């Protein structure tokens, strides 16, 4: 029975690191459907349900301190490589397709919640608000919005259930559709000839510096400094019931990451692995407060996720026909939102290896806009509730 800080944090870091290591070394099919970060959440949640640690004052203090201080640092690091100037080079049609995906996903959340909100518990809008962050940029945005909305950690199980089950099926559908792209493009009368030329000129790794001790140490210090500054500035800004101090911290870290992403610091490849370490630790911390007994509405949440995806896909197909959009752009734009950098480049590569940079840049764009759009969706859901 763990009652002190160091063993508590050690077991969380150990489980996270082992899962990442196993995922990278094994060819197990499990990881194709359940990413290590999802397995991490439910593994730690199981230990929490079994009361492997006791929520003493010391552990509660460690949880709050690490989570609140690492969050803005992680957001900053994740956005560092999202150079907005490169994203603008994607061209108007691909950018419009990305925003079409974001808006249709937002409408999916709003329409679904309008229909089903009476069947959910009172604070369910916060859970779907956090999920909207994940489905408009990735897990980092989800954690940011969860903190901004002050959503209880026990409710994150619902979010990750939808994010793993519904998302995995959607990825499989989009990958299965790749061989039929030419028939879809004929139906929409789309011209996808520009994509291969565009992809070969947008390699995002050409200018990156290698990962080394100096770079890692500098990034660690810089990101923690941003975290401290964000938390010092936030209390000075005006707040409302929705725009809390934590929301300001998230917004400040996001804007700082975007600004620094246009400087030479964005070329440091060390930012991404360091951000991922922080992300895994934050997810483990959140899971350590959850309990399986609190997931009584899981089937309803999973069905709600499929309704959101159905609305999103229907709108995308309609606009593809109206504006002659190709299946590649639609699929990658969808996964740049719903899956982020973990899946958009994979789908892009399934079409052509030269198109992978487009998937990367669109996923980066998801990181940039996801937090803001997710907070907007959460506000609308709150009004509906």
């Amino acid at each position: 029975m763990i009652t002190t800080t160091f063993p508590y944090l050690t077991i969380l870091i150990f489980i996270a690191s082992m899962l990442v290591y196993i995922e990278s070394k094994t060819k197990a099919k499990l990881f194709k459907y359940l990413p290590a970060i999802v397995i991490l959440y439910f593994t730690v949640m199981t230990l929490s349900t079994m009361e492997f640690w006791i929520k003493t004052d010391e552990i509660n203090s460690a949880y709050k301190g690490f989570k609140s201080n690492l969050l803005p640092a992680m957001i900053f690091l994740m956005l560092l490589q999202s150079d907005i100037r490169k994203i603008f080079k994607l061209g108007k049609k691909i950018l419009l397709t990305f925003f079409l995906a974001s808006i249709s996903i937002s409408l999916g959340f709003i329409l679904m919640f309008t229909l089903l909100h009476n069947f959910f518990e009172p604070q369910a809008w916060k859970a779907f608000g956090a999920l909207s962050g994940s489905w408009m940029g990735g897990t980092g945005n989800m954690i940011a919005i969860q903190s901004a909305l002050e959503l209880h950690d026990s409710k994150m199980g619902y979010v990750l259930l939808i994010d793993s089950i519904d998302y995995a099926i959607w990825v499989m559908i989009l990958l299965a559709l790749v061989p039929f792209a030419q028939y879809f493009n004929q139906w929409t009368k789309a011209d996808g000839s520009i994509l291969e030329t565009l992809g070969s000129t947008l390699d995002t790794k050409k200018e990156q510096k290698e990962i080394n001790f100096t770079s890692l140490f500098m990034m660690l210090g810089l990101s923690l400094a941003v975290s401290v500054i964000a938390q010092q500035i936030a209390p000075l800004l005006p707040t409302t019931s929705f725009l809390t101090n934590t929301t300001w911290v998230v917004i400040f870290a996001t804007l700082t990451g975007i600004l620094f992403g246009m400087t030479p610091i964005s070329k440091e490849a060390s930012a991404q692995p360091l951000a991922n370490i922080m992300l895994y630790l934050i997810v483990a911390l959140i899971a350590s407060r959850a309990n399986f007994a609190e997931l009584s509405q899981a089937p309803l949440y999973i069905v709600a996720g499929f309704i959101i995806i159905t609305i999103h896909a229907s709108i995308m197909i309609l606009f593809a026909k109206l504006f002659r959009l190709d299946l590649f752009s639609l699929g990658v734009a969808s996964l740049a939102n719903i899956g982020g950098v973990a899946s958009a480049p994979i789908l892009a590569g399934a079409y052509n290896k030269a198109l992978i940079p487009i998937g990367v840049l669109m996923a980066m764009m998801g990181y940039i806009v996801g937090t803001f759009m997710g907070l907007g969706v959460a506000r609308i859901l709150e009004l509906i509730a």
Side-chain angles (χ1 to χ4, degrees):
M1 199 76 68
I2 296 173
T3 59
T4 55
T5 299
F6 189 71
Y8 167 66
L9 293 175
T10 298
I11 192 68
L12 297 183
I13 295 171
F14 176 77
I15 294 171
S17 62
M18 288 300 101
L19 283 172
V20 170
Y21 180 79
I22 293 169
E23 184 182 35
S24 68
K25 296 297 181 180
T26 186
K27 295 181 180 179
K29 292 183 178 180
L30 173 66
F31 291 106
K32 292 182 179 180
Y33 308 107
L34 288 176
I37 199 163
V38 175
I39 298 174
L40 168 65
Y41 183 90
F42 288 105
T43 300
V44 175
M45 188 178 181
T46 301
L47 295 178
S48 176
T49 304
M50 295 168 60
E51 296 186 346
F52 199 75
W53 44 78
I54 301 297
K55 296 175 184 176
T56 61
D57 290 342
E58 185 177 343
I59 285 182
N60 287 339
S61 178
Y63 162 81
K64 291 176 183 177
F66 273 87
K67 184 186 172 189
S68 61
N69 288 304
L70 286 180
L71 176 67
M74 179 204 73
I75 294 170
F76 170 75
L77 290 171
M78 282 191 161
L79 287 165
L80 263 188
Q81 295 184 49
S82 302
D83 190 336
I84 200 167
R85 296 170 299 183
K86 290 181 180 178
I87 291 169
F88 287 140
K89 294 179 182 179
L90 286 171
K92 293 180 181 179
K93 200 163 189 177
I94 293 180
L95 292 177
L96 287 173
T97 307
F98 173 86
F99 281 110
L100 171 62
S102 299
I103 293 168
S104 60
I105 291 168
S106 300
L107 288 173
F109 276 93
I110 294 166
L111 293 173
M112 177 282 301
F113 201 70
T114 300
L115 293 171
L116 301 180
H117 70 277
N118 289 325
F119 296 96
F120 295 108
E121 51 202 3
Q123 297 295 305
W125 66 270
K126 291 186 178 182
F128 285 110
L131 179 65
S132 72
S134 178
W135 281 9
M136 285 184 281
T139 309
N141 288 343
M142 175 185 72
I143 301 300
I145 293 178
Q146 183 244 349
S147 296
L149 298 178
E150 299 178 350
L151 170 65
H152 195 278
D153 293 337
S154 63
K155 305 305 177 187
M156 288 300 289
Y158 289 129
V159 178
L160 282 160
L161 270 176
I162 302 172
D163 201 29
S164 57
I165 296 173
D166 298 38
Y167 154 75
I169 292 174
W170 184 232
V171 171
M172 286 189 287
I173 290 172
L174 291 177
L175 286 171
L177 289 174
V178 171
F180 304 98
Q182 65 181 54
Y183 303 110
F184 182 88
N185 295 344
Q186 288 173 4
W187 177 67
T188 61
K189 299 179 181 179
D191 178 17
S193 59
I194 192 174
L195 290 172
E196 292 187 23
T197 304
L198 185 62
S200 62
T201 61
L202 289 173
D203 192 344
T204 57
K205 295 184 178 180
K206 288 179 180 178
E207 300 176 350
Q208 275 193 356
K209 298 179 181 178
E210 64 179 12
I211 299 172
N212 55 54
F213 168 74
T214 305
S215 176
L216 277 170
F217 212 173
M218 183 270 291
M219 283 296 173
L220 177 62
L222 180 60
S223 62
L224 294 179
V226 168
S227 176
V228 170
I229 294 170
Q231 293 178 78
Q232 293 297 315
I233 290 176
L236 305 176
L237 300 172
T239 59
T240 65
S241 60
F242 183 81
L243 199 60
T244 63
N245 282 342
T246 308
T247 309
W248 280 121
V249 169
V250 168
I251 291 173
F252 179 87
T254 301
L255 292 176
T256 306
I258 293 171
L259 290 174
F260 273 78
M262 294 185 282
T263 69
I265 293 177
S266 66
K267 298 176 183 178
E268 300 289 347
S270 302
Q272 200 59 45
L274 192 57
N276 287 337
I277 291 172
M278 293 181 181
L279 174 62
Y280 273 76
L281 180 53
I282 291 171
V283 169
L285 285 166
I286 292 170
S288 73
R289 318 290 287 187
N291 191 308
F292 275 109
E294 296 165 324
L295 297 181
S296 58
Q297 288 189 308
L300 181 58
Y301 276 82
I302 293 170
V303 170
F306 284 122
I307 292 173
I308 294 167
I309 289 177
T310 301
I311 294 170
H312 157 62
S314 300
I315 294 172
M316 294 285 279
I317 292 170
L318 173 63
F319 276 83
K321 182 63 175 176
L322 291 175
F323 296 101
R324 299 183 180 182
L325 303 176
D326 60 278
L327 187 59
F328 167 84
S329 299
L330 292 178
V332 174
S334 178
L335 285 192
N337 281 276
I338 295 178
V341 76
S343 54
I346 294 174
L347 180 62
Y351 283 90
N352 191 316
K353 297 295 183 184
L355 300 176
I356 290 177
I358 296 179
V360 174
L361 287 173
M362 289 181 81
M364 288 180 177
M365 193 171 182
Y367 275 137
I368 292 173
V369 305
T371 300
F372 298 111
M373 292 194 71
L375 286 171
V377 169
R379 177 57 175 164
I380 295 171
L381 299 184
E382 181 187 21
L383 295 173
I384 295 171

PDB file of all heavy atoms in Angstrom, residues 19-33:
ATOM      1  N   LEU A  19       5.371   0.509 -20.896  1.00  0.00           N
ATOM      2  CA  LEU A  19       4.396   0.393 -21.982  1.00  0.00           C
ATOM      3  C   LEU A  19       4.929   1.014 -23.271  1.00  0.00           C
ATOM      4  O   LEU A  19       4.744   0.452 -24.364  1.00  0.00           O
ATOM      5  CB  LEU A  19       3.080   1.060 -21.569  1.00  0.00           C
ATOM      6  CG  LEU A  19       2.198   0.251 -20.610  1.00  0.00           C
ATOM      7  CD1 LEU A  19       1.032   1.094 -20.116  1.00  0.00           C
ATOM      8  CD2 LEU A  19       1.674  -1.011 -21.302  1.00  0.00           C
ATOM      9  N   VAL A  20       5.564   2.164 -23.161  1.00  0.00           N
ATOM     10  CA  VAL A  20       6.157   2.805 -24.341  1.00  0.00           C
ATOM     11  C   VAL A  20       7.245   1.918 -24.936  1.00  0.00           C
ATOM     12  O   VAL A  20       7.337   1.741 -26.161  1.00  0.00           O
ATOM     13  CB  VAL A  20       6.728   4.187 -23.969  1.00  0.00           C
ATOM     14  CG1 VAL A  20       7.556   4.757 -25.127  1.00  0.00           C
ATOM     15  CG2 VAL A  20       5.604   5.150 -23.610  1.00  0.00           C
ATOM     16  N   TYR A  21       8.068   1.329 -24.069  1.00  0.00           N
ATOM     17  CA  TYR A  21       9.146   0.452 -24.528  1.00  0.00           C
ATOM     18  C   TYR A  21       8.582  -0.787 -25.227  1.00  0.00           C
ATOM     19  O   TYR A  21       9.025  -1.156 -26.320  1.00  0.00           O
ATOM     20  CB  TYR A  21      10.017   0.027 -23.349  1.00  0.00           C
ATOM     21  CG  TYR A  21      11.162  -0.882 -23.726  1.00  0.00           C
ATOM     22  CD1 TYR A  21      12.335  -0.362 -24.289  1.00  0.00           C
ATOM     23  CD2 TYR A  21      11.067  -2.266 -23.558  1.00  0.00           C
ATOM     24  CE1 TYR A  21      13.388  -1.190 -24.648  1.00  0.00           C
ATOM     25  CE2 TYR A  21      12.108  -3.101 -23.921  1.00  0.00           C
ATOM     26  CZ  TYR A  21      13.263  -2.557 -24.466  1.00  0.00           C
ATOM     27  OH  TYR A  21      14.303  -3.383 -24.828  1.00  0.00           O
ATOM     28  N   ILE A  22       7.584  -1.412 -24.604  1.00  0.00           N
ATOM     29  CA  ILE A  22       6.978  -2.612 -25.190  1.00  0.00           C
ATOM     30  C   ILE A  22       6.324  -2.291 -26.528  1.00  0.00           C
ATOM     31  O   ILE A  22       6.436  -3.048 -27.492  1.00  0.00           O
ATOM     32  CB  ILE A  22       5.949  -3.221 -24.209  1.00  0.00           C
ATOM     33  CG1 ILE A  22       6.665  -3.767 -22.976  1.00  0.00           C
ATOM     34  CG2 ILE A  22       5.148  -4.328 -24.885  1.00  0.00           C
ATOM     35  CD1 ILE A  22       5.728  -4.146 -21.843  1.00  0.00           C
ATOM     36  N   GLU A  23       5.631  -1.144 -26.598  1.00  0.00           N
ATOM     37  CA  GLU A  23       4.986  -0.750 -27.852  1.00  0.00           C
ATOM     38  C   GLU A  23       6.003  -0.572 -28.970  1.00  0.00           C
ATOM     39  O   GLU A  23       5.752  -0.940 -30.123  1.00  0.00           O
ATOM     40  CB  GLU A  23       4.201   0.542 -27.656  1.00  0.00           C
ATOM     41  CG  GLU A  23       3.430   0.971 -28.900  1.00  0.00           C
ATOM     42  CD  GLU A  23       2.694   2.285 -28.719  1.00  0.00           C
ATOM     43  OE1 GLU A  23       3.215   3.172 -28.024  1.00  0.00           O
ATOM     44  OE2 GLU A  23       1.598   2.434 -29.290  1.00  0.00           O
ATOM     45  N   SER A  24       7.169  -0.006 -28.632  1.00  0.00           N
ATOM     46  CA  SER A  24       8.182   0.262 -29.658  1.00  0.00           C
ATOM     47  C   SER A  24       8.919  -1.001 -30.093  1.00  0.00           C
ATOM     48  O   SER A  24       9.434  -1.072 -31.212  1.00  0.00           O
ATOM     49  CB  SER A  24       9.197   1.291 -29.149  1.00  0.00           C
ATOM     50  OG  SER A  24       9.977   0.746 -28.095  1.00  0.00           O
ATOM     51  N   LYS A  25       8.978  -2.011 -29.205  1.00  0.00           N
ATOM     52  CA  LYS A  25       9.767  -3.218 -29.496  1.00  0.00           C
ATOM     53  C   LYS A  25       8.939  -4.392 -29.998  1.00  0.00           C
ATOM     54  O   LYS A  25       9.456  -5.272 -30.677  1.00  0.00           O
ATOM     55  CB  LYS A  25      10.532  -3.656 -28.238  1.00  0.00           C
ATOM     56  CG  LYS A  25      11.569  -2.646 -27.751  1.00  0.00           C
ATOM     57  CD  LYS A  25      12.675  -2.443 -28.778  1.00  0.00           C
ATOM     58  CE  LYS A  25      13.720  -1.446 -28.278  1.00  0.00           C
ATOM     59  NZ  LYS A  25      14.795  -1.243 -29.278  1.00  0.00           N
ATOM     60  N   THR A  26       7.671  -4.418 -29.630  1.00  0.00           N
ATOM     61  CA  THR A  26       6.850  -5.564 -30.000  1.00  0.00           C
ATOM     62  C   THR A  26       6.056  -5.305 -31.272  1.00  0.00           C
ATOM     63  O   THR A  26       5.829  -4.164 -31.653  1.00  0.00           O
ATOM     64  CB  THR A  26       5.877  -5.915 -28.858  1.00  0.00           C
ATOM     65  OG1 THR A  26       5.183  -7.116 -29.205  1.00  0.00           O
ATOM     66  CG2 THR A  26       4.850  -4.811 -28.651  1.00  0.00           C
ATOM     67  N   LYS A  27       5.620  -6.387 -31.893  1.00  0.00           N
ATOM     68  CA  LYS A  27       4.759  -6.280 -33.073  1.00  0.00           C
ATOM     69  C   LYS A  27       3.334  -6.710 -32.737  1.00  0.00           C
ATOM     70  O   LYS A  27       2.545  -7.057 -33.624  1.00  0.00           O
ATOM     71  CB  LYS A  27       5.320  -7.142 -34.206  1.00  0.00           C
ATOM     72  CG  LYS A  27       6.683  -6.660 -34.718  1.00  0.00           C
ATOM     73  CD  LYS A  27       7.182  -7.529 -35.856  1.00  0.00           C
ATOM     74  CE  LYS A  27       8.533  -7.046 -36.366  1.00  0.00           C
ATOM     75  NZ  LYS A  27       9.054  -7.890 -37.468  1.00  0.00           N
ATOM     76  N   ALA A  28       3.011  -6.680 -31.464  1.00  0.00           N
ATOM     77  CA  ALA A  28       1.686  -7.111 -31.021  1.00  0.00           C
ATOM     78  C   ALA A  28       0.595  -6.260 -31.662  1.00  0.00           C
ATOM     79  O   ALA A  28       0.694  -5.033 -31.711  1.00  0.00           O
ATOM     80  CB  ALA A  28       1.595  -7.024 -29.497  1.00  0.00           C
ATOM     81  N   LYS A  29      -0.452  -6.909 -32.159  1.00  0.00           N
ATOM     82  CA  LYS A  29      -1.541  -6.196 -32.827  1.00  0.00           C
ATOM     83  C   LYS A  29      -2.341  -5.337 -31.866  1.00  0.00           C
ATOM     84  O   LYS A  29      -3.042  -4.412 -32.288  1.00  0.00           O
ATOM     85  CB  LYS A  29      -2.466  -7.191 -33.523  1.00  0.00           C
ATOM     86  CG  LYS A  29      -1.824  -7.910 -34.708  1.00  0.00           C
ATOM     87  CD  LYS A  29      -2.814  -8.829 -35.401  1.00  0.00           C
ATOM     88  CE  LYS A  29      -2.169  -9.503 -36.603  1.00  0.00           C
ATOM     89  NZ  LYS A  29      -3.114 -10.418 -37.298  1.00  0.00           N
ATOM     90  N   LEU A  30      -2.232  -5.639 -30.566  1.00  0.00           N
ATOM     91  CA  LEU A  30      -2.972  -4.879 -29.561  1.00  0.00           C
ATOM     92  C   LEU A  30      -2.712  -3.387 -29.680  1.00  0.00           C
ATOM     93  O   LEU A  30      -3.631  -2.567 -29.583  1.00  0.00           O
ATOM     94  CB  LEU A  30      -2.579  -5.364 -28.156  1.00  0.00           C
ATOM     95  CG  LEU A  30      -3.134  -4.552 -26.974  1.00  0.00           C
ATOM     96  CD1 LEU A  30      -4.653  -4.681 -26.915  1.00  0.00           C
ATOM     97  CD2 LEU A  30      -2.497  -5.016 -25.669  1.00  0.00           C
ATOM     98  N   PHE A  31      -1.450  -3.028 -29.935  1.00  0.00           N
ATOM     99  CA  PHE A  31      -1.073  -1.618 -29.974  1.00  0.00           C
ATOM    100  C   PHE A  31      -1.576  -0.899 -31.222  1.00  0.00           C
ATOM    101  O   PHE A  31      -1.556   0.322 -31.290  1.00  0.00           O
ATOM    102  CB  PHE A  31       0.455  -1.469 -29.853  1.00  0.00           C
ATOM    103  CG  PHE A  31       0.971  -1.843 -28.494  1.00  0.00           C
ATOM    104  CD1 PHE A  31       1.648  -3.032 -28.297  1.00  0.00           C
ATOM    105  CD2 PHE A  31       0.773  -1.013 -27.406  1.00  0.00           C
ATOM    106  CE1 PHE A  31       2.127  -3.392 -27.046  1.00  0.00           C
ATOM    107  CE2 PHE A  31       1.247  -1.350 -26.148  1.00  0.00           C
ATOM    108  CZ  PHE A  31       1.922  -2.546 -25.964  1.00  0.00           C
ATOM    109  N   LYS A  32      -2.018  -1.680 -32.232  1.00  0.00           N
ATOM    110  CA  LYS A  32      -2.595  -1.061 -33.419  1.00  0.00           C
ATOM    111  C   LYS A  32      -3.979  -0.504 -33.130  1.00  0.00           C
ATOM    112  O   LYS A  32      -4.441   0.439 -33.778  1.00  0.00           O
ATOM    113  CB  LYS A  32      -2.681  -2.079 -34.565  1.00  0.00           C
ATOM    114  CG  LYS A  32      -1.326  -2.505 -35.113  1.00  0.00           C
ATOM    115  CD  LYS A  32      -1.507  -3.477 -36.272  1.00  0.00           C
ATOM    116  CE  LYS A  32      -0.152  -3.894 -36.843  1.00  0.00           C
ATOM    117  NZ  LYS A  32      -0.306  -4.840 -37.970  1.00  0.00           N
ATOM    118  N   TYR A  33      -4.647  -1.106 -32.171  1.00  0.00           N
ATOM    119  CA  TYR A  33      -6.016  -0.700 -31.838  1.00  0.00           C
ATOM    120  C   TYR A  33      -6.095   0.087 -30.536  1.00  0.00           C
ATOM    121  O   TYR A  33      -6.971   0.936 -30.367  1.00  0.00           O
ATOM    122  CB  TYR A  33      -6.919  -1.936 -31.756  1.00  0.00           C
ATOM    123  CG  TYR A  33      -6.834  -2.816 -32.980  1.00  0.00           C
ATOM    124  CD1 TYR A  33      -6.172  -4.035 -32.950  1.00  0.00           C
ATOM    125  CD2 TYR A  33      -7.389  -2.398 -34.187  1.00  0.00           C
ATOM    126  CE1 TYR A  33      -6.076  -4.835 -34.092  1.00  0.00           C
ATOM    127  CE2 TYR A  33      -7.310  -3.184 -35.321  1.00  0.00           C
ATOM    128  CZ  TYR A  33      -6.646  -4.402 -35.273  1.00  0.00           C
ATOM    129  OH  TYR A  33      -6.561  -5.180 -36.406  1.00  0.00           O
TER     130      TYR A  33
END
